[in-house]
Amino acid sequence: MDPAASRIIERFGLLFEREGFPRIAGRLTGYLLLSVEPRSLDEIAEDLGVSKASASTDARRMEAKGFLVRTSLPGDRRDYYAIAPDGFRTSLHARIDALQRFRALLADTEQLPARSGPVRQRITEWNEF
């Protein structure tokens, strides 16, 4: 793997880690984003320098989040992973849905009986934001 691609993959790892994912999940996503063909867990583990178990766990995690798809090849029992064609859109919609649920919860806090001044002010500020 060339040094520029390795740096981008590492940056994906750091970005995803800041978003609450394991760093390997981000690295795996970056790696597959740069891959032309689907990759087996063996290839992923070897190229990223991680265990196959870790690659498998994080591939399944990112598949569940809609970033990746799992495929197979005729006559091959191994699983292969690739970037989901609409993975970025799916992940953004999931984040928007989560923010809408959070906003609805904040709106419900307005219905609570009057709280102390600082608490009421904080609730109001959060709802206005």
Side-chain angles (χ1 to χ4, degrees):
M1 187 176 324
D2 69 83
S6 291
R7 285 192 298 275
I8 292 293
I9 290 167
E10 290 305 317
R11 287 176 61 193
F12 265 91
L14 293 172
L15 175 66
F16 276 58
E17 187 175 53
R18 284 192 296 270
E19 293 293 320
F21 291 98
R23 186 180 296 189
I24 293 171
R27 292 178 65 220
L28 189 149
T29 303
Y31 169 78
L32 289 174
L33 183 67
L34 301 178
S35 296
V36 175
E37 300 291 328
R39 300 290 185 189
S40 71
L41 291 172
D42 293 321
E43 293 171 311
I44 293 167
E46 182 179 331
D47 290 348
L48 294 180
V50 299
S51 71
K52 185 176 175 181
S54 181
S56 176
T57 297
D58 285 307
R60 286 192 318 269
R61 179 189 328 271
M62 300 315 282
E63 178 186 20
K65 294 289 183 181
F67 284 98
L68 305 181
V69 292
R70 185 179 355 182
T71 63
S72 61
L73 299 175
D76 190 339
R77 295 178 59 191
R78 294 180 293 172
D79 288 331
Y80 290 80
Y81 289 89
I83 291 292
D86 59 348
F88 188 66
R89 180 185 316 271
T90 301
S91 69
L92 284 179
H93 281 294
R95 292 186 94 177
I96 290 168
D97 289 346
L99 288 171
Q100 289 171 335
R101 288 191 304 275
F102 185 64
R103 175 65 183 106
L105 177 57
L106 286 175
D108 289 346
T109 64
E110 290 286 346
Q111 308 307 315
L112 293 172
R115 300 282 191 226
S116 66
V119 171
R120 176 55 55 200
Q121 180 180 351
R122 183 170 47 244
I123 290 171
T124 299
E125 287 173 359
W126 279 38
N127 271 297
E128 288 175 355
F129 182 76

